[in-house]
Amino acid sequence: MLAGRPTNRTTMRKGTKPMIDPTQGPERTARPTASPGVHPAAIYRGGTSKGVLFRAEDVPPLPDDALEDWVRAVMGSSDPRQIDGLGGADLLTSKFGIVGPSKDPTYDVDFTFFQVGFREATIARDSACGNLSSAAALFSIDEGIVRRGGDGRTFVRIRDVNTEALILAEVDDRQTPGLNGETGTAVWLDFASTAGSTTGSLLPTGNACDTIDVDGLGQIEVTIVDLANLVAYVRAQDVGVGAHMTPDAIESDPVLMNTLEKVRGTVAAHLGMCPDWRGAASQAPGVPFLALISNPSDAPGNEATSLQAVGFAMRSIHRAYWVTGGVCTAVAAQIKGSIPNSAARIDAERPFRLRHPAGFLEVQATVTQGSDEHGAVHLTVNQARLFRTARRIMTGHVAVPGY
C-alpha cells in the first residue's frame, strides 16, 4: 500500500467469517415498508423483452389517468432516452406490468400490461405481451402469489386483464438456454384460449384476406387475425419494405414509417376502432399490430424456416418479434387463403419456425377446420404454444417523487 493513501478495505484475521457469505443466497426477510414516494418493484427479463413488475398491493390507488402518469414517472417517459426512470428506451424494454391474485377464481393471477411510449407520452393498454407474461408467471411464483409446484413444475392460469383472455403458463424450475442464447427459467405459454379476445372472432372480418385503400399507397391486401393479439398481415413488398431491411434502416426512413402507420390505422378504421387512420394513434394505440411478411429465405441454414416477418407497432419497428404476434402468425399461416399461408413453408413434422430481426421463434400450433349444416366454415385453434425463458434481474425500490 502506498504511504498516506486512504483505504476503505477491512482487514480480516485469518479464520474470521465475512459478514456476508458470497456463496449463500439472500435470506428471505419480511419486505420493508416503503417510504412515501418509494415503492417495491422488480425488473424481469421475459423472452426477448425486459420490464418492470409490481405487486398489485404496492401500486398507489389512483384513478386511471393518474395511474398512467405514475407509470410514466416510474419509466422515465416521455423522454426518448428515459434517463430519469427504469425504461430502456426501446419497444422491448419500455414495458410495465402489475401482478396480483386474481379476482376470478378460475384464474390464479391477474396481469395488467402497459406498453409505455418513450418517444411520445402514449401508453397502450389494449394489447397483451407474451414475453412479459412469461416474466409475470415467474414473478407470481417468486413473490408467493402462486405456490411453487412440488415437482419443480408450476401451472399458472393468467387472466390478461387487457384482453380478458386466459394465458396458461407452465413454469419449470430448470435453468434452460433459450433459442437466442439467453438462459433462465423455462416457461411454456399456451394462447389457444385467446382466439377472438379483442374482436370476438379469430377472423374479425370473416375473411382470410381483405382489400383496404390506404391514403397515398392505394389498394393492398391484408389478413387480419385475432389470437393473443390483433394482428394485421401485409406483404412487406407491398408497403415498400425489402425482405432484408433492418429495423434501423426502416426507422431511418420517415416517409416509410408514416406509410406503415397509415396502413395500421386504416386497418383499425376498417374494423371500426377509429373513424380514420389518423385516429388510431390515440384510439387504438397498441393494436392492431402490423406484421410485414416475406417468403422464407432459401439461403443455407434457413431450410427449416417457415416464414419471415418484421413487426410494427406504436410507431416503432420491433427489434425481435412479439410472442403474441408469433403464435398469431403460426395460426394465421394455417388458414387457407391468408397472406401468411400463401408465403409460408409449412412442414407438419416440425414446429412453425418464424425468422425475425433478432433470431427465431418456434411455435406449436394446430388449427382444425369444420363447417356447420349451412356450410359456414369454422376454425378451431387447438394449440398455440411456445417456449420462453424468464429470470429475475433485480428486486428493490423505485423512488417516484410526488407519489
Side-chain angles (χ1 to χ4, degrees), residues 316-334:
S316 295
I317 296 293
H318 206 296
R319 262 50 190 177
Y321 201 72
W322 321 276
V323 163
T324 52
V327 292
C328 190
T329 302
V331 167
Q334 296 190 39

Side-chain angles (χ1 to χ4, degrees), residues 108 141 146-147 149 151 153-157 168-171:
D108 298 308
I141 299 168
V146 174
R147 180 175 296 180
D151 60 353
R153 290 191 311 158
T154 308
F155 291 90
V156 184
R157 299 167 301 172
L168 182 60
E170 179 184 345
V171 182

Side-chain angles (χ1 to χ4, degrees), residues 46-47 130-138 141 152-158 166-179 184-192 323 327 350-352 361-365 383-390:
N131 275 320
L132 217 59
S133 294
S134 67
L138 180 60
I141 299 168
R153 290 191 311 158
T154 308
F155 291 90
V156 184
R157 299 167 301 172
I158 301 170
L166 166 67
I167 301 170
L168 182 60
E170 179 184 345
V171 182
D172 191 321
D173 283 347
R174 293 174 302 155
Q175 293 298 295
T176 307
L179 282 176
T185 300
V187 183
W188 283 92
L189 297 170
D190 197 324
F191 294 85
V323 163
V327 292
R350 294 177 174 176
F352 180 87
L361 270 177
E362 286 190 353
V363 183
Q364 298 172 355
Q383 182 180 230
R385 190 169 185 258
L386 87 172
F387 169 79
R388 299 277 82 186
T389 65

Side-chain angles (χ1 to χ4, degrees), residues 89-92 118-119 241-242 244-257 260 292 310-312 315-320 356-358:
D90 187 271
L91 199 63
L92 295 175
F118 52 97
R119 295 190 181 98
V241 174
H244 302 292
M245 287 183 72
T246 65
D248 285 343
I250 298 170
E251 287 195 345
S252 68
D253 185 337
V255 175
L256 178 55
M257 289 292 287
L260 297 180
L292 315 177
V310 174
F312 172 85
R315 295 185 179 271
S316 295
I317 296 293
H318 206 296
R319 262 50 190 177
H356 56 72

Side-chain angles (χ1 to χ4, degrees), residues 205-279:
T205 66
N207 304 316
C209 193
D210 291 277
T211 300
I212 58 173
D213 197 343
V214 181
D215 181 28
L217 187 64
Q219 291 190 339
I220 62 169
E221 290 186 323
V222 60
T223 290
I224 308 169
V225 180
D226 183 359
L227 182 128
N229 265 321
L230 181 63
V231 185
Y233 299 93
V234 297
R235 297 178 186 89
Q237 64 187 23
D238 288 351
V239 292
V241 174
H244 302 292
M245 287 183 72
T246 65
D248 285 343
I250 298 170
E251 287 195 345
S252 68
D253 185 337
V255 175
L256 178 55
M257 289 292 287
N258 194 49
T259 296
L260 297 180
E261 179 60 18
K262 283 183 180 180
V263 174
R264 195 193 75 84
T266 302
V267 172
H270 186 66
L271 295 174
M273 301 171 74
C274 52
D276 58 33
W277 75 266
R278 294 172 182 82

